[in-house]
Amino acid sequence: MSAVPAQPQPQANSSCLIVFGHGRNFEPGQDDQNEAWDRLNLQFNQQVLLSLELAGRRGFSMVLKSAATDLPRNLGLLLAEAAVRGCSQVLETTLFGDEQTQTLKARLRLYPVLGAKGPRVAGADLRIGEPLYTNERDFEFTRRVLERLNPAALGQAMADESISQLMPGGIVAP
C-alpha cells in the first residue's frame, strides 16, 4: 500500500496581493447605470494591477459587480481567494459616487490578510486587518466629470504614485 502525500497548505506570500475591486453604486432596475459603474471599476482595477505587475509586484485581480451587495458573502469570497493564492495583502480599488457629499471618489487602500503567516490549519480563520495605506482622490460628482473620467489613466496615475508603498518591503503588516 502506497502512501498518498498530503496536499501542502498555501504559504503566506508577502509579494502576492489580491487587487480587489467592487462597485458601490448599485441601483435596482438601473441595468445600464450599474453596468457603467462595473465597467469603470473593472478598468480602474485592471490598470492598477497592470501598473503593479510592470513594476514587478505579483498580483491577482478580483472584481465584483455592483450588484454583489451581500457584504459578508463578498468578504468570504475575498478571503477564500487570498487563501487559495496564499496572498497576505489585499489592495482595494474602487471608484464610486457619494450622493450625500456630491463627491466622486477614487481609492486605493492596502489591507493585511491576518492569519496568513505560515502554513494554515484546515478551517483556520483569515480576516482583513486595519488599512496599512490609502491613496484617495475626490472629484466633483457631476455628469461632466463622469463623462470625462478615464479610469485606466487614473488607475495608472494612482498606482504609480503608490508603487513604493505597494512593493514588497514597502509596507509590511505589523
Side-chain angles (χ1 to χ4, degrees):
M1 176 184 249
S2 64
V4 176
Q7 293 295 323
Q9 292 292 321
Q11 298 283 325
N13 184 345
S14 63
S15 66
C16 160
L17 80 156
I18 303 294
V19 182
F20 176 72
H22 183 225
R24 296 183 181 196
N25 291 91
F26 178 69
E27 290 290 333
Q30 301 292 321
D31 294 343
D32 290 344
Q33 179 179 311
N34 295 331
E35 288 175 20
W37 280 111
D38 290 342
R39 276 192 306 276
L40 290 173
N41 272 288
L42 180 62
Q43 291 169 5
F44 183 64
N45 178 278
Q46 294 297 296
Q47 188 58 54
V48 169
L49 176 62
L50 179 61
S51 295
L52 289 170
E53 287 177 338
L54 288 173
R57 182 76 195 255
R58 192 170 131 239
F60 300 95
S61 177
M62 179 179 180
V63 181
L64 299 179
K65 296 198 177 270
S66 57
T69 59
D70 183 344
L71 296 181
R73 181 179 183 278
N74 296 347
L75 178 59
L77 291 170
L78 174 59
L79 291 173
E81 186 71 11
V84 165
R85 301 283 187 182
C87 294
S88 64
Q89 294 182 326
V90 171
L91 179 65
E92 174 196 21
T93 64
T94 189
L95 281 170
F96 65 96
D98 184 338
E99 294 283 342
Q100 288 183 326
T101 63
Q102 288 299 297
T103 304
L104 175 68
K105 294 194 176 282
R107 180 185 302 148
L108 302 181
R109 188 171 280 167
L110 183 68
Y111 297 90
V113 177
L114 302 176
K117 295 188 191 290
R120 286 190 267 292
V121 176
D125 289 330
L126 296 181
R127 64 190 188 287
I128 302 295
E130 293 296 316
L132 300 170
Y133 172 81
T134 300
N135 180 350
E136 185 172 294
R137 292 190 183 177
D138 295 339
F139 304 93
E140 190 176 5
F141 189 28
T142 65
R143 178 177 301 277
R144 182 170 184 204
V145 169
L146 282 173
E147 289 169 350
R148 294 175 145 209
L149 181 65
N150 182 335
L154 181 59
Q156 181 175 352
M158 291 179 72
D160 289 350
E161 292 168 3
S162 304
I163 290 290
S164 66
Q165 301 299 315
L166 301 175
M167 294 304 291
I171 294 180
V172 181

